[in-house]
Amino acid sequence: MKLPRYLQVALVLTAGLVLWSQFSSDETQETVHLRAPTTRPAPAVKPSAEPLTTVRHDLFPPHNEHEESPETVAVEVVPPPSAPPLPLQVLGAWWEQRQRIIILTDGQETWPVCERCRADGKIWLGDSPVSGWTLTEVANDYLQFEWTATHMHQRLSLEELTSEPQ
């Protein structure tokens, strides 16, 4: 690809100016440092009625931990999402044909937790006895529920209801 003549000229001039600026700035600084000091008389300064003062603003003042600044910004710390307390309690259990049936309550209603029983209103894995809580696991010594809003799990201990009474 051939560049037009005006672009070639502009490219050569730009390269020349860059080289000149690189070398000329170094020479200027060196010549300033190599010059012999001149003895010029200091300019006469007329005394003024008001003294000259320099106003300085401290951009980075020292930080004092004991002193509260009026510009303190209150930062609200947001706690991580958590589940509310599990509203269910274990009311009891009974054994029928070698299967344990656990009775849960929320204080107003009761539900049997069983896999194969034909009880009305029974709950099993994936069911929600209380709004927002889903039964996710039935183990020998606990029931695990999931708070659906945050997918956090809570266990409900079965304590002494783990084995069939004799």
Side-chain angles (χ1 to χ4, degrees):
M1 177 175 143
K2 183 170 168 101
L3 291 175
R5 176 67 80 200
Y6 71 92
L7 287 179
Q8 292 174 355
V9 171
L11 183 63
V12 169
L13 286 174
T14 303
L17 287 173
V18 167
L19 289 173
W20 177 78
S21 68
Q22 291 295 318
F23 292 115
S24 68
S25 65
D26 290 339
E27 291 174 9
T28 315
Q29 290 176 356
E30 289 176 12
T31 56
V32 169
H33 293 295
L34 296 177
R35 268 191 198 166
T38 58
T39 55
R40 292 185 186 164
V45 178
K46 295 180 183 178
S48 64
E50 296 178 17
L52 294 176
T53 59
T54 304
V55 179
R56 292 186 182 185
H57 296 284
D58 192 3
L59 296 178
F60 303 102
H63 181 64
N64 189 350
E65 294 179 8
H66 302 293
E67 183 179 303
E68 292 185 22
S69 68
E71 300 172 5
T72 303
V73 178
V75 177
E76 182 178 334
V77 177
V78 179
S82 63
L86 187 63
L88 299 171
Q89 298 174 352
V90 176
L91 191 61
W94 81 82
W95 294 82
E96 186 176 293
Q97 298 175 358
R98 311 214 36 91
Q99 180 188 356
R100 178 179 60 177
I101 300 170
I102 302 166
I103 305 299
L104 288 180
T105 184
D106 67 348
Q108 297 174 357
E109 294 185 53
T110 58
W111 301 273
V113 178
C114 59
E115 183 178 14
R116 295 174 290 189
C117 71
R118 295 191 175 115
D120 289 335
K122 74 169 183 153
I123 60 172
W124 193 244
L125 299 178
D127 294 334
S128 296
V130 183
S131 177
W133 291 97
T134 305
L135 181 64
T136 58
E137 184 180 354
V138 177
N140 191 33
D141 56 344
Y142 64 89
L143 300 175
Q144 182 168 305
F145 290 88
E146 177 183 338
W147 176 245
T148 56
T150 59
H151 300 290
M152 296 189 72
H153 296 273
Q154 287 191 14
R155 290 184 176 182
L156 185 60
S157 175
L158 298 179
E159 298 171 2
E160 67 268 352
L161 302 176
T162 58
S163 60
E164 185 175 1
Q166 305 304 351

